[in-house]
């Protein structure tokens, strides 16, 4: 049976969970084939990239053309079908997004309509699409940064083409970041630079992708925080799962359970406080096995507890990577941990780099504060480190720029109606068990952002 948060006692077939300091015969090897419950795929016609349809998507049309690999505009007849089916006050279309404004959404929410992303919101709210940005009128329709490369309108450029675009643009301007958000590219200009740009003086196209220039002291993804947003989905009663899984079932931990820092005092508050986050996954590098946790939850102590400081210490942080919001924990000898189940999300099986991250693919997570959430791979951002300058004033080439992954966040399933702080640390996994990152930030536009795992993969880390 599938483990659920409504059933704190584990209902999963026992497996060889990892226990520190066990003999080799009882600890699982990297080749161990663990028992796995294959969960029903929530999407039909899943292929690399765009094209999958949510299992509740019963639209009698498909807006995705799998041969041309583009979305088409819905016809008037198709718009009328959406309006009548969902009693819509307004239907807003900006592909790949469709927003349905209605006072009576369906009890079960389809995440796609005709393969396009779909959201249901109350009348009076603005459409939750890409942030508008502080776009400057520098682009000209006559200039394409590429001369020999064709780019699909709804795909990320491959690695080498991305570098070509960034380095070509860097000759013409000073850049803080480049966000590939098919069908557009947003270039954040470095406002600390003295460089001046004239109207219609910069390229406006890269193949079929349209370039916009964001010039502001505020980053394009402004107000990135663990904020909440309104949606028309009725939450269940299960919001904060602070069950102690060490005292039930197989007496082992798994991705998605609650972790806490040690208690501390803050300001004049006499009461002890602590930070709670969601546990990640167990990694290995050679013979070393460490657990991932959200770094921001352990700024005051390296001790890690489950589920709260009143519960049980499970380990100690031995490595910290604040830029990724990841810390690595050495488990105490008595603690058992397994990656073989992850509540309502799929079992995490392997780490993937940004090279494998494709626009339009669906991932999911399950955190102790929200339950299961669906996320769509929507953007890939290249961030210019140190404002583009080496400490010795040597420009940093695009190959050295770190990448962030940008996600459209959809409604929770069997959990809370809001994305809450304790979600951070939860692994983002697809139906095949690929892990692209660990939840870090969400913003007011219903987007989330995670650092890619490229650095850790290059360092030799992999999933246990």
């Amino acid at each position: 049976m599938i483990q659920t948060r409504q059933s704190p006692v584990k209902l999963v077939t026992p497996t060889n969970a990892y226990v520190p300091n066990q003999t080799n015969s009882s600890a699982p090897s990297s080749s161990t084939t663990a028992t796995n419950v294959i969960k029903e795929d929530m999407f039909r016609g899943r292929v690399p990239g765009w094209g999958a349809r949510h299992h509740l998507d019963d639209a009698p049309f498909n807006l995705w053309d799998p041969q041309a690999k583009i979305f088409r505009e819905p016809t008037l007849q198709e718009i009328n079908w959406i309006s009548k089916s969902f009693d819509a006050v307004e239907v807003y279309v900006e592909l790949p997004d469709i927003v349905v404004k209605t006072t009576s959404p369906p009890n079960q929410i389809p995440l796609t309509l005709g393969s396009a992303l779909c959201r249901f919101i109350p009348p009076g709210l603005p459409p939750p699409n890409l942030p508008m940005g502080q776009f400057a009128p520098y682009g000209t329709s006559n200039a394409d940064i590429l001369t020999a490369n064709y780019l699909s309108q709804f795909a990320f450029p491959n690695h080498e083409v991305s570098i070509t675009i960034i380095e070509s643009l860097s000759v013409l301007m000073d850049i803080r970041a480049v966000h590939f958000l098919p069908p557009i590219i947003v270039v954040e200009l470095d406002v600390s630079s003295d460089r001046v740009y004239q109207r219609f003086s910069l390229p406006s196209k890269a193949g079929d992708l349209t370039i916009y220039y964001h010039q502001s002291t505020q980053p394009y993804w402004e107000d990135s925080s663990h904020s909440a947003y309104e949606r028309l989905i009725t939450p269940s009663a299960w919001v904060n799962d602070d069950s102690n899984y060490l005292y039930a079932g197989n007496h082992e931990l798994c991705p998605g359970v609650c972790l806490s820092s040690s208690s501390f005092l803050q300001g004049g508050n006499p009461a002890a406080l602590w930070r709670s986050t969601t546990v990640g996954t167990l990694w290995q590098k050679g013979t070393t096995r460490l657990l991932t946790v959200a770094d921001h939850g352990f700024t005051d102590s390296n001790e890690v507890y489950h589920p709260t400081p009143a519960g049980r210490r499970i380990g100690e942080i031995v490595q910290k990577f604040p830029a990724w919001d990841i810390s690595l924990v050495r488990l105490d000898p008595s603690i058992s941990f397994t990656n073989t189940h992850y509540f309502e999300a799929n079992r995490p099986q392997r780490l993937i780099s940004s090279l494998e991250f494709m626009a339009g693919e669906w991932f999911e997570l399950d955190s102790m504060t929200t339950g299961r959430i669906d996320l769509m791979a929507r953007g890939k951002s290249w961030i210019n480190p140190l404002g583009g300058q080496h400490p010795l004033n040597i420009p940093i080439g695009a190959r050295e720029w770190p990448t962030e992954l940008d996600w459209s966040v959809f409604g929770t399933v069997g959990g809370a109606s809001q994305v809450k702080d304790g979600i951070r640390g939860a692994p983002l996994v697809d139906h095949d068990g690929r892990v692209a990152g660990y939840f870090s930030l969400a913003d007011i536009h219903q987007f989330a952002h995670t650092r890619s795992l490229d650095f850790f993969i290059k360092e030799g880390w992999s999933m246990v």
Side-chain angles (χ1 to χ4, degrees):
M1 298 178 67
I2 298 175
Q3 176 191 6
T4 67
R5 295 189 186 277
Q6 287 82 352
S7 176
V9 177
K10 293 186 181 299
L11 300 176
V12 178
T13 303
T15 60
N16 288 333
Y18 171 65
V19 180
N21 296 344
Q22 278 195 341
T23 63
N24 291 336
S25 59
S26 57
S29 69
S30 59
S31 61
T32 299
T33 302
T35 301
N36 184 26
V37 177
I38 303 299
K39 296 180 173 60
E40 179 184 359
D41 194 350
M42 294 292 102
F43 294 88
R44 305 189 304 270
R46 190 189 290 263
V47 294
W50 299 94
R53 299 181 65 148
H54 190 248
H55 70 108
L56 297 174
D57 178 356
D58 61 357
F61 52 83
N62 192 353
L63 300 178
W64 174 252
D65 185 331
Q67 280 70 46
K69 298 190 182 302
I70 59 172
F71 283 98
R72 64 170 179 83
E73 293 287 337
T75 65
L76 179 59
Q77 182 181 6
E78 291 164 347
I79 292 291
N80 288 337
W81 181 90
I82 296 173
S83 298
K84 292 179 180 179
S85 297
F86 303 107
D87 194 20
V89 175
E90 181 182 356
V91 178
Y92 177 87
V93 179
E94 187 174 341
L95 294 171
D97 293 282
I98 295 177
V99 178
V100 180
K101 293 188 176 183
T102 178
T103 57
S104 54
N107 292 328
Q108 292 185 299
I109 301 289
L111 302 187
T112 67
L113 281 179
S115 297
L117 307 186
C118 184
R119 298 183 192 275
F120 294 82
I121 65 174
L125 288 184
N129 53 354
L130 291 172
M132 293 302 296
Q134 298 296 320
F135 293 145
Y138 298 142
T140 171
S141 60
N142 297 322
D144 190 327
I145 197 66
L146 298 175
T147 58
N149 293 287
Y150 173 80
L151 296 183
S152 173
Q153 190 177 11
F154 290 98
F156 299 138
N158 67 39
H159 188 70
E160 292 303 318
V161 173
S162 298
I163 290 173
T164 296
I165 292 172
I166 294 170
E167 292 184 343
S168 299
L169 291 171
S170 296
V171 174
L172 304 174
M173 64 201 75
D174 295 326
I175 299 174
R176 181 166 60 190
V178 177
H179 309 286
F180 293 96
L181 299 161
I184 69 171
I185 299 173
V186 176
V187 177
E188 280 194 50
L189 298 174
D190 183 0
V191 294
S192 66
S193 168
D194 296 329
R195 209 159 182 172
V196 177
Y197 310 99
Q198 302 300 319
R199 289 171 63 91
F200 312 125
S201 62
L202 301 177
S204 63
K205 301 285 285 184
D208 278 352
L209 302 180
T210 302
I211 301 176
Y212 293 91
Y213 296 95
H214 175 83
Q215 190 173 36
S216 171
T217 55
Q218 286 276 49
Y220 176 67
W221 297 111
E222 66 176 333
D223 193 28
S224 287
S225 61
H226 21 274
S227 60
Y229 48 84
E230 184 174 4
R231 45 172 101 73
L232 291 174
I233 296 178
T234 303
S236 77
W238 281 86
V239 177
N240 293 297
D241 180 7
D242 58 358
S243 307
N244 193 325
Y245 288 92
L246 291 173
Y247 297 149
N250 295 332
H251 309 288
E252 63 189 18
L253 303 181
C254 68
V257 304
C258 179
L259 294 183
S260 297
S261 66
S262 58
S263 57
F264 59 90
L265 298 177
Q266 188 175 67
N269 191 338
L273 306 173
W274 62 86
R275 294 183 176 88
S276 293
T277 53
T278 298
V279 71
T281 57
L282 192 65
W283 288 359
Q284 64 181 8
K285 180 181 179 180
T287 58
T288 300
R289 292 184 174 183
L290 301 176
L291 181 68
T292 68
V293 299
D295 179 75
H296 91 286
F298 300 90
T299 57
D300 301 282
S301 170
N302 287 333
E303 292 188 308
V304 182
Y305 292 83
H306 169 72
T308 69
R312 185 170 167 185
R313 182 188 131 137
I314 68 164
E316 183 174 10
I317 291 173
V318 293
Q319 295 185 54
K320 296 175 73 70
F321 301 92
W324 287 263
D325 196 14
I326 289 176
S327 287
L328 298 180
V329 176
R330 179 178 293 113
L331 293 173
D332 290 341
S334 62
I335 301 302
S336 175
F337 190 95
T338 179
N339 289 333
T340 59
H341 42 268
Y342 184 17
F343 295 99
E344 300 302 317
N346 286 298
R347 174 172 73 96
Q349 300 183 57
R350 72 179 183 93
L351 307 179
I352 65 169
S353 73
S354 61
L355 298 179
E356 298 181 71
F357 183 74
M358 296 182 64
E361 294 188 316
W362 288 94
F363 284 70
E364 59 195 40
L365 63 79
D366 195 318
S367 96
M368 60 94 178
T369 56
T370 61
R372 181 174 168 271
I373 285 180
D374 290 290
L375 304 98
M376 157 70 78
R378 189 60 182 279
K380 186 184 296 187
S381 298
W382 295 61
I383 312 301
N384 201 344
L386 303 177
Q389 293 296 315
H390 187 275
L392 299 178
N393 292 322
I394 301 173
I396 299 175
R399 291 185 187 277
E400 303 304 319
W401 292 18
T403 53
E404 291 185 355
L405 311 181
D406 308 309
W407 308 83
S408 288
V409 183
F410 286 79
T412 62
V413 177
S417 62
Q418 298 179 344
V419 172
K420 299 169 66 178
D421 188 24
I423 192 175
R424 293 171 76 169
L428 280 66
V429 58
D430 73 357
H431 189 67
D432 295 323
R434 304 184 310 157
V435 175
Y438 295 78
F439 197 97
S440 180
L441 296 173
D443 64 31
I444 60 176
H445 301 282
Q446 302 190 15
F447 285 86
H449 314 283
T450 64
R451 273 287 183 95
S452 74
L453 300 176
D454 297 354
F455 168 78
F456 297 103
I457 293 173
K458 289 179 181 177
E459 290 292 304
W461 290 102
S462 62
M463 197 74 67
V464 171

